[in-house]
Amino acid sequence: RKEVEQDPGPFNVPEGATVAFNCTYSNSASQSFFWYRQDCRKEPKLLMSVYSSGNEDGRFTAQLNRASQYISLLIRDSKLSDSATYLCVVNSGNNRKLIWGLGTSLAVNP
Amino acid sequence: DTAVSQTPKYLVTQMGNDKSIKCEQNLGHDTMYWYKQDSKKFLKIMFSYNNKELIINETVPNRFSPKSPDKAHLNLHINSLELGDSAVYFCASSPLNSNQPQHFGDGTRLSIL
């Protein structure tokens, strides 16, 4: 099993749609979780950290399920500018490094 | 004003050459990283330094040698460049360790002819 696994997509959705991504991780000792966004030919940028109780930032909601070892990202009211690759990131159990998923590609269409 | 800056942004060179990429962060972070992102978009950690001390070296060929003169700088020198080294190299920094988010430079696109 890969350390961090995501559905690569692409997800093609119309503007205004709600879309959800899931990500599974293999190390039950992982303690920190993040969603990053990467635009084509750009650097990854932090979208949000994921907290145990779940957290929301505007149209974005992140959830953590430790029992099933997955995190999720929900985007409501999709905008054209949300088109990007969304990277799931989990720290290694010993806190030495972050493990990056391959990313889920999202295209929001007019 | 730039938080993590790396130079050059583009690097086109021939096989066998030696090249360096520089990285500087002005965020006051203790930890810096080098990542490689290949054509399949997989982002892989290469090295990590904490306060000038090497803490991660992920089975990277000896041709790659990081150098951290101080905690705000982490440079990457590559000897005898090979075709497979073509990729985007990202520098990043974080306040302390991998429990905290990392901030990235805008990448160096290395192409080997």
Side-chain angles (χ1 to χ4, degrees), chain A residues 74-108:
Chain A
L74 182 78
I75 306 175
R76 289 182 299 277
D77 188 23
S78 300
K79 312 288 183 195
L80 295 177
S81 56
D82 294 334
S83 298
T85 296
Y86 290 83
L87 299 162
C88 170
V89 190
V90 176
N91 82 325
S92 60
N94 58 10
N95 294 330
R96 290 178 67 241
K97 61 182 181 181
L98 294 179
I99 312 295
W100 296 72
L102 271 172
T104 298
S105 175
L106 171 66
V108 181

Side-chain angles (χ1 to χ4, degrees), chain B residues 34-51:
Chain B
W34 275 110
Y35 285 89
K36 178 180 180 180
Q37 188 170 43
D38 59 26
S39 57
K40 294 181 182 176
K41 306 300 182 188
F42 180 50
L43 196 64
K44 185 169 169 52
I45 182 79
M46 298 174 69
F47 300 103
S48 171
Y49 271 72
N50 180 271
N51 266 318

Side-chain angles (χ1 to χ4, degrees), chain B residues 53-66:
Chain B
E53 183 184 344
L54 178 67
I55 55 173
I56 293 176
N57 182 341
E58 287 284 303
T59 49
V60 178
N62 290 339
R63 300 182 295 105
F64 290 80
S65 51

Side-chain angles (χ1 to χ4, degrees), chain A residues 31-32 34 36 38 40-46 49 87 91-92 94-98 100-102, chain B residues 10 35 37 40-43 45 55-58 90 97-106 109:
Chain A
Q31 296 177 8
S32 298
F34 309 98
Y36 276 72
Q38 186 172 25
C40 188
R41 301 180 68 78
K42 297 282 190 180
E43 75 275 21
K45 289 184 178 175
L46 178 68
S49 301
L87 299 162
N91 82 325
S92 60
N94 58 10
N95 294 330
R96 290 178 67 241
K97 61 182 181 181
L98 294 179
W100 296 72
L102 271 172
Chain B
Y10 298 95
Y35 285 89
Q37 188 170 43
K40 294 181 182 176
K41 306 300 182 188
F42 180 50
L43 196 64
I45 182 79
I55 55 173
I56 293 176
N57 182 341
E58 287 284 303
F90 287 105
N97 58 32
S98 70
N99 273 333
Q100 295 149 322
Q102 295 173 7
H103 300 258
F104 283 76
D106 55 10
R109 284 142 190 85

Side-chain angles (χ1 to χ4, degrees), chain A residues 13-85:
Chain A
V13 302
E15 264 186 295
T18 295
V19 61
F21 308 135
N22 280 339
C23 164
T24 57
Y25 61 95
S26 61
N27 190 340
S28 60
S30 295
Q31 296 177 8
S32 298
F33 309 89
F34 309 98
W35 282 103
Y36 276 72
R37 168 196 170 128
Q38 186 172 25
D39 292 280
C40 188
R41 301 180 68 78
K42 297 282 190 180
E43 75 275 21
K45 289 184 178 175
L46 178 68
L47 181 65
M48 56 199 304
S49 301
V50 186
Y51 302 121
S52 297
S53 53
N55 47 301
E56 191 174 303
D57 182 1
R59 298 181 294 108
F60 299 85
T61 301
Q63 298 274 356
L64 167 64
N65 185 318
R66 284 191 186 273
S68 302
Q69 292 181 210
Y70 77 83
I71 66 173
S72 64
L73 177 68
L74 182 78
I75 306 175
R76 289 182 299 277
D77 188 23
S78 300
K79 312 288 183 195
L80 295 177
S81 56
D82 294 334
S83 298
T85 296

